[in-house]
Amino acid sequence: METVRCLIVGGGPAGYTAAVYAARADISPVVYEGVQPGGQLTTTTDIENYPGFENGISGQQLVDSMKAQAVRLGTDMRTGTVTSADLSSRPFKIVIDANHEIEAQTLIIATGA
């Protein structure tokens, strides 16, 4: 069984943002992106209401930048789906793809819509 300090479930904007903050705090986050890395934002063509991009940005470009920043700061990005979870006590016990068991001291669920 693998033990991690911070497990983030969800590879969209919320998961990537949580990973950036956790990595900057030296918490060594592990992100499982799930079935749609980047989340629903990857299907958005033009985003014009996000600060810092005066001419807009595509959803795919934005999530690619978010992911790259999280990775640059030390986030361990993985592909997989949570198939079961025991949240009744700490450390939390999470199973990925029905066969990989993880004990997580901290669990952030950022699965989006």
Side-chain angles (χ1 to χ4, degrees), residues 1-19:
M1 179 175 302
E2 180 182 13
T3 300
V4 300
R5 288 183 66 194
C6 178
L7 178 63
I8 301 169
V9 178
Y16 296 152
T17 300

Side-chain angles (χ1 to χ4, degrees), residues 17-109:
T17 300
V20 165
Y21 279 89
R24 291 192 70 233
D26 291 325
I27 301 175
S28 306
V30 173
V31 172
Y32 272 91
E33 294 184 298
V35 296
Q36 187 177 2
Q40 289 182 342
L41 195 57
T42 61
T43 64
T44 304
T45 53
D46 295 318
I47 299 168
E48 295 181 333
N49 62 344
Y50 191 84
F53 299 96
E54 66 183 73
N55 297 312
I57 187 169
S58 77
Q60 188 64 57
Q61 288 174 309
L62 183 57
V63 295
D64 287 348
S65 293
M66 290 175 162
K67 180 177 180 177
Q69 182 180 13
V71 168
R72 180 180 62 81
L73 293 170
T75 300
D76 181 352
M77 292 287 182
R78 301 179 185 180
T79 301
T81 302
V82 173
T83 50
S84 67
D86 179 358
L87 308 181
S88 62
S89 63
R90 288 180 187 252
F92 302 116
K93 293 173 182 55
I94 310 298
V95 179
I96 307 295
D97 295 329
N99 64 6
H100 182 70
E101 296 181 4
I102 298 176
E103 283 188 345
Q105 294 174 5
T106 302
L107 175 65
I108 299 172
I109 301 171

